[in-house]
Amino acid sequence: SQKIEQNSEALNIQEGKTATLTCNYTNYSPAYLQWYRQDPGRGPVFLLLIRENEKEKRKERLKVTFDTTLKQSLFHITASQPADSATYLCALDVGGYNKLIFGAGTRLAVHP
Amino acid sequence: GAVVSQHPSWVICKSGTSVKIECRSLDFQATTMFWYRQFPKQSLMLMATSNEGSKATYEQGVEKDKFLINHASLTLSTLTVTSAHPEDSSFYICSASPGQGTHSNQPQHFGDGTRLSIL
């Protein structure tokens, strides 16, 4: 069955450092992968989308890589700030009509 | 742009009650909307795909008679949890995207969720 794995352990980093979150998947070949941010008690907010033929995508302090051979995506936040503290979810398309399956998310805590 | 509104944000009711949750796309039309549920510290689990003007498509293991979905217009989908029981308590979230299509790969825009507590 399709499986998405994100590090279930919380990631604690110091303000100003780069946070790197990992998303691994098995038994699937997605055409694209998305990253979302979710704050407690809120719905997810879209951050970045990367297609299978793209190696890297950037948006301000965010960078996403997509390695279809390793079946892995890395999500980086540079110059992290306490306001970046949240849970970050990766999601894969499962074919047509924008149907997505989500990983469980990694909680990031950025300390001053 | 691309705002999705969900109502109510919080519901507490007695066991056996039916609860309706609304999901509206405020500034775009959505032929397809998605309903998820999320337990604490767990992933969003897709429950069903809501299709405007036709029947919803349910994921394996989701009871269609328990979770009734109606998508009567291009801006509104509703999820009704019928005869709710404590095990139905969860965080329910909807999403939608403008420009849905067979090969569309648009970001999903989510509502802020409905926390349902059944006593």
Side-chain angles (χ1 to χ4, degrees):
Chain A
S1 61
Q2 298 156 357
K3 192 175 179 182
I4 304 175
E5 289 185 346
Q6 292 186 255
N7 193 341
S8 59
E9 298 280 330
L11 180 61
N12 291 282
I13 64 167
Q14 208 67 31
E15 182 176 8
K17 301 292 186 183
T18 297
T20 299
L21 287 70
T22 304
C23 176
N24 296 296
Y25 59 93
T26 57
N27 297 333
Y28 197 66
S29 297
Y32 59 94
L33 184 149
Q34 301 184 20
W35 283 88
Y36 289 79
R37 168 185 173 141
Q38 187 176 23
D39 290 287
R42 306 294 297 272
V45 174
F46 170 76
L47 296 175
L48 280 169
L49 179 154
I50 187 165
R51 294 177 175 78
E52 60 179 337
N53 60 350
E54 297 176 315
K55 296 292 185 186
E56 182 179 298
K57 201 78 166 283
R58 290 175 185 262
K59 179 183 176 183
E60 299 173 351
R61 294 186 294 111
L62 309 180
K63 185 178 83 171
V64 172
T65 63
F66 193 9
D67 189 325
T68 55
T69 301
L70 291 178
K71 294 187 181 292
Q72 180 182 78
S73 175
L74 299 178
F75 177 78
H76 306 271
I77 305 176
T78 58
S80 59
Q81 305 165 0
D84 295 327
S85 299
T87 296
Y88 291 86
L89 309 169
C90 72
L92 306 181
D93 79 291
V94 288
Y97 299 103
N98 285 334
K99 185 175 173 181
L100 299 175
I101 55 172
F102 282 82
T106 298
R107 189 165 59 85
L108 172 67
V110 181
H111 302 283
Chain B
V3 177
V4 174
S5 174
Q6 197 171 331
H7 180 80
S9 56
W10 192 29
V11 180
I12 301 176
C13 58
K14 294 181 180 179
S15 184
T17 307
S18 291
V19 179
K20 180 185 283 189
I21 303 170
E22 292 187 348
C23 179
R24 294 181 185 273
S25 56
L26 297 186
D27 51 1
F28 66 96
Q29 294 182 333
T31 54
T32 305
M33 292 184 176
F34 299 94
W35 286 96
Y36 300 83
R37 66 188 296 181
Q38 186 177 33
F39 292 106
K41 298 185 179 181
Q42 293 190 25
S43 177
L44 276 76
M45 298 299 297
L46 181 64
M47 298 176 65
T49 303
S50 173
N51 304 299
E52 188 268 335
S54 64
K55 291 182 180 180
T57 305
Y58 291 82
E59 295 300 302
Q60 191 174 8
V62 177
E63 299 176 57
K64 61 180 182 180
D65 295 330
K66 174 75 172 177
F67 299 99
L68 300 178
I69 291 174
N70 184 277
H71 195 153
S73 78
L74 287 171
T75 58
L76 174 64
S77 174
T78 60
L79 169 68
T80 301
V81 184
T82 61
S83 187
H85 292 287
E87 59 267 27
D88 298 322
S89 299
S90 188
F91 191 52
Y92 292 86
I93 313 176
C94 69
S95 74
S97 178
Q100 301 279 13
T102 305
H103 300 292
S104 180
N105 53 10
Q106 297 296 319
Q108 287 295 312
H109 301 277
F110 286 82
D112 264 342
T114 297
R115 184 155 307 281
L116 176 61
S117 296
I118 308 298
L119 305 177

